[in-house]
Amino acid sequence: MSWLIKNTIKEYRASEWGGQSFPPGLKYSVAFIYPNVYHLGMSNLGMHILYQIINARGDSACERFFLPDPKLIKEHEKTRTPLLSMESMRPLADFDVIFVMLSFEMDYDNLLKILDLGNIKLRAADRNKREPLIIIGGPCATFNPEPLANVADAFVIGEGEETVQKILDTIYQSASKDERLQKLSQLPGVYVPSFYEEGFDEKGQFTGLVPQAGAPRKISRQWVKDIDSYPHTSAIITRNTEFAGMYIVEVARGCGRHCRFCMAGYSFRKPRPRKLANILADIAKRPQLTKKVGLMGAAVSDHPEIKKLTTYLVEQGINFSVASLRADTLDQTMCDALAKSGQQTMTVAPEAGSERMRAAINKGITEEHIYNACTLAAASGMKNIKLYYMIGLPGEEDLDITETVEMIKRVRQKMDEVGNKGELIVSVNGFVPKPFTPYQWAPLCPVKTLKHRFKMLNDGLKKDKRIKLITESLKETVVQAVLARGDRKIGDALLEAHESGQNLKSVLKMQGIDIDELAQRELTVGQILPWSHIDIGVKDEYMARELTNSEAGKFTPMCFDGCRRCGVCKDI
């Protein structure tokens, strides 16, 4: 076993507060994989929440696994040291069950690498009855599990607090692997892919998944109706993460803004704010070594008592940061408090640069809101402004990119007018259509067009050195688009690419498939999709209507009490 690997794990553990370790053999062993490096994985609040819940059962010991950095991967391979847990340095293959938190499509191959390093067979069908079950959850599992259907024994569809408990009870109480899988398939929100066969018509067109062995036709997305019943804070504090020394507190879950591009907004609706008293109680019991409180949620500024919360933090002298703030909800008190807490950059997400496209995506903020954010930031002493945009949105034209350039210049001018001489950072990504959004049927914008529009942005902004343009790789955008809407055939290609050391594009090309054309295909409203067996709660007809509203630039108001538009709240 490698000394370098063991010493690296010890160094990480030595910098942590709050990790839990138990003597081996006294409890069932539960592995928890985050398929990226420690620095990113420890920034994921969902992992912290489930770590606390599993360890609190009394019969289970949860231990963490992450993707080693490239240097350590080579060390694992050279020394044949298996992937080891953070808590006890126990090999992954020795655990009773393996959970995976999967948040991003680009982590799919990372997961395969972790399983390789852990001496776990990649295909579920190849693993014997004594090997641990692999249960995959997280956003990617919820909106389209099919690309990893041949890897996972089961998927958690939706939020995991309640479902994970039922899964563990079922696994511990079942005598065999076959019995476990059969019982798991009957649990609400659990999808066992081996109990479903793909159906095709005489033309080879996909007609849906056919359930076998009594499995349900639809798997319903689970969501926690009373989020105050579960822990919602950091479990472990470490300096080796994006939120170094910060105590994260979830203040709300879900978002009711109806932005038409946003998978999280549709897959985790409805909005559920936590009670202010419970949030304050969490903050009061934070570890003394934490320097700052992080307020986390999909739409933190929509919490009905956000001003009371931030006023309390200011009055108590507690430094804090906020995960997401809308430009139309900012005020001077909030900005002053953030600046006093050490925040140097005001971040705003217009998403689209033209008024027409912001109406199309239902963003609901105006350029005046962004100017106001600049003014507030300057008055509070925040030096920099960061703007997030997407290009390639459905219906976008070159004229919208021209307007984006002009808008960015106007923001820079506004910064100058209010005396803010800091940097204007502009982050631009290619739009990727996601399942369970109104744009799930839309094609990825052609790569040639995306390149052209990125060039328009760069050419339009390069003369002003105080504007920093950041763009992502278009290769990754294409792969992400293919995986997001992929089926089991794409999953097979992903496995082949990983095992052969090739990239996905090359493997698909050998199969006669052009990856760009695959990403750019337009789907038809009403057709059976690879994720049609998942019931997310939002009605298909509602999403189709929102697609029509997007084309017309029609505004959809946010969620409200008594609303029954989309279908999620039908049972409340």
Side-chain angles (χ1 to χ4, degrees):
M1 187 172 289
S2 166
W3 173 89
L4 175 61
I5 292 170
K6 292 181 67 175
N7 193 55
T8 300
I9 294 174
K10 287 180 180 179
E11 288 178 354
Y12 276 127
R13 290 286 283 132
S15 71
E16 293 183 344
W17 177 93
Q20 299 184 53
S21 297
F22 303 94
L26 296 182
K27 300 172 183 281
Y28 291 104
S29 57
V30 179
F32 200 115
I33 293 174
Y34 189 91
N36 212 307
V37 294
Y38 178 96
H39 179 85
L40 292 176
M42 287 303 295
S43 302
N44 183 278
L45 184 59
M47 188 203 70
H48 287 256
I49 291 170
L50 292 176
Y51 183 84
Q52 294 176 75
I53 288 173
I54 294 169
N55 280 327
R57 287 175 56 94
D59 60 358
S60 304
C62 185
E63 304 193 22
R64 296 162 292 148
F65 289 81
F66 303 97
L67 180 73
D69 64 33
K71 178 182 176 182
L72 280 186
I73 288 177
K74 290 181 180 179
E75 180 73 6
H76 275 283
E77 294 169 342
K78 183 178 75 173
T79 63
R80 297 187 179 181
T81 301
L83 194 66
L84 304 175
S85 74
M86 298 298 301
E87 278 71 13
S88 67
M89 298 195 199
R90 185 177 178 182
L92 180 62
D94 290 355
F95 280 72
D96 296 312
V97 59
I98 297 172
F99 283 110
V100 180
M101 172 68 75
L102 200 55
S103 300
F104 305 104
E105 293 91 349
M106 300 312 293
D107 283 343
Y108 289 8
D109 193 63
N110 290 341
L111 173 59
L112 302 181
K113 186 64 179 178
I114 285 174
L115 297 179
D116 277 341
L117 293 173
N119 296 323
I120 304 289
K121 299 182 186 71
L122 299 183
R123 292 169 175 79
D126 293 339
R127 296 193 287 269
N128 64 41
K129 296 181 179 181
R130 295 182 301 276
E131 293 177 275
L133 294 181
I134 295 178
I135 318 290
I136 301 179
C140 288
T142 292
F143 70 70
N144 183 16
E146 290 311 288
L148 291 176
N150 290 330
V151 175
D153 292 289
F155 291 92
V156 176
I157 307 300
E159 295 167 0
E161 285 92 337
E162 296 167 359
T163 307
V164 162
Q165 299 273 38
K166 296 173 184 177
I167 288 173
L168 291 177
D169 288 342
T170 299
I171 290 174
Y172 298 163
Q173 295 166 11
S174 302
S176 67
K177 181 176 181 179
D178 290 342
E179 182 185 355
R180 288 171 179 169
L181 292 176
Q182 183 62 50
K183 289 183 176 179
L184 287 176
S185 73
Q186 301 303 311
L187 292 179
V190 177
Y191 168 46
V192 179
S194 60
F195 289 162
Y196 295 79
E197 292 183 359
E198 294 178 296
F200 299 92
D201 61 19
E202 62 278 1
K203 296 181 179 179
Q205 296 297 312
F206 179 68
T207 57
L209 293 177
V210 182
Q212 310 292 312
R217 186 178 65 85
K218 288 268 192 178
I219 300 92
S220 296
R221 184 265 299 193
Q222 302 299 292
W223 57 288
V224 177
K225 295 176 177 61
D226 180 11
I227 66 169
D228 281 302
S229 299
Y230 297 92
H232 285 90
T233 65
S234 302
I236 298 168
I237 307 299
T238 174
R239 65 175 180 268
N240 296 308
T241 181
E242 189 138 346
F243 306 119
M246 187 183 294
Y247 188 64
I248 306 297
V249 179
E250 185 180 38
V251 303
R253 188 175 297 182
C255 180
R257 289 284 183 169
H258 297 246
C259 295
R260 294 174 180 128
F261 60 86
C262 183
M263 178 275 297
Y266 281 84
S267 292
F268 297 100
R269 192 171 293 166
K270 84 172 201 165
R272 288 149 287 159
R274 295 187 66 216
K275 293 183 177 67
L276 179 61
N278 293 338
I279 297 170
L280 297 180
D282 283 337
I283 292 171
K285 69 181 182 183
R286 70 191 185 282
Q288 292 301 308
L289 57 88
T290 54
K291 300 176 181 178
K292 186 181 287 190
V293 169
L295 306 180
M296 185 71 71
V300 174
S301 53
D302 284 342
H303 192 286
E305 296 186 279
I306 186 63
K307 291 194 184 330
K308 288 184 180 179
L309 173 56
T310 54
T311 298
Y312 169 85
L313 293 170
V314 171
E315 290 174 348
Q316 297 298 313
I318 300 171
N319 289 342
F320 69 98
S321 68
V322 181
S324 58
L325 282 173
R326 285 178 58 92
D328 55 348
T329 61
L330 288 172
D331 61 21
Q332 195 63 62
T333 302
M334 173 75 75
C335 292
D336 288 345
L338 290 170
K340 188 177 179 181
S341 296
Q343 186 162 316
Q344 296 292 310
T345 302
M346 169 67 72
T347 301
V348 182
E351 310 292 2
S354 69
E355 184 178 347
R356 184 182 77 88
M357 289 310 302
R358 286 196 298 277
I361 64 177
N362 206 54
K363 184 62 183 178
I365 66 172
T366 67
E367 215 166 297
E368 287 302 319
H369 290 133
I370 298 162
Y371 295 157
N372 184 55
C374 294
T375 302
L376 294 173
S380 66
M382 278 190 260
K383 297 178 180 179
N384 307 311
I385 302 291
K386 187 170 187 178
L387 303 177
Y388 281 102
Y389 292 95
M390 293 180 290
I391 64 169
L393 287 159
E396 180 185 85
E397 299 173 356
D398 281 0
L399 185 60
D400 297 299
I401 305 303
T402 300
E403 179 54 30
T404 300
V405 171
E406 295 306 312
M407 176 190 182
I408 293 167
K409 290 179 178 178
R410 290 192 293 269
V411 172
R412 179 69 259 182
Q413 182 180 353
K414 185 66 176 180
M415 291 173 67
D416 293 339
E417 289 174 1
V418 297
N420 191 333
K421 304 302 182 183
E423 193 171 42
L424 176 58
I425 305 160
V426 181
S427 178
V428 185
N429 294 327
F431 165 73
V432 174
K434 295 292 181 81
F436 295 113
T437 69
Y439 293 151
Q440 65 180 349
W441 298 285
L444 180 74
C445 183
V447 173
K448 184 178 179 180
T449 303
L450 287 174
K451 288 180 179 178
H452 165 66
R453 290 178 180 164
F454 272 128
K455 187 175 186 302
M456 287 179 66
L457 287 171
N458 187 63
D459 290 347
L461 299 173
K462 65 183 178 182
K463 290 182 181 179
D464 194 330
K465 302 304 180 185
R466 299 170 303 161
I467 299 175
K468 181 180 180 182
L469 180 63
I470 302 171
T471 59
E472 70 171 10
S473 164
L474 282 179
K475 290 181 180 179
E476 287 195 2
T477 300
V478 172
V479 172
Q480 187 183 352
V482 168
L483 293 176
R485 300 194 299 174
D487 55 16
R488 295 189 184 188
K489 292 179 181 178
I490 294 299
D492 288 337
L494 182 68
L495 282 164
E496 184 178 339
H498 176 81
E499 291 168 336
S500 67
Q502 301 179 79
N503 59 43
L504 182 60
K505 181 176 182 178
S506 298
V507 170
L508 290 173
K509 185 176 181 180
M510 288 189 295
Q511 297 175 359
I513 300 172
D514 182 284
I515 193 169
D516 292 336
E517 292 180 2
L518 185 63
Q520 294 163 23
R521 72 196 189 284
E522 184 169 6
L523 306 178
T524 304
V525 173
Q527 79 176 90
I528 302 298
L529 302 169
W531 51 91
S532 290
H533 58 297
I534 306 296
D535 180 6
I536 209 74
V538 180
K539 295 177 292 189
D540 283 346
E541 54 266 34
Y542 176 81
M543 286 188 283
R545 188 163 64 248
E546 280 296 281
L547 181 61
T548 301
N549 288 342
S550 172
E551 294 165 354
K554 185 177 178 181
F555 179 66
T556 297
M558 66 186 296
C559 294
F560 54 88
D561 289 341
C563 171
R564 295 292 185 271
R565 291 171 296 174
C566 74
V568 167
C569 297
K570 61 181 180 294
D571 59 342
I572 301 174

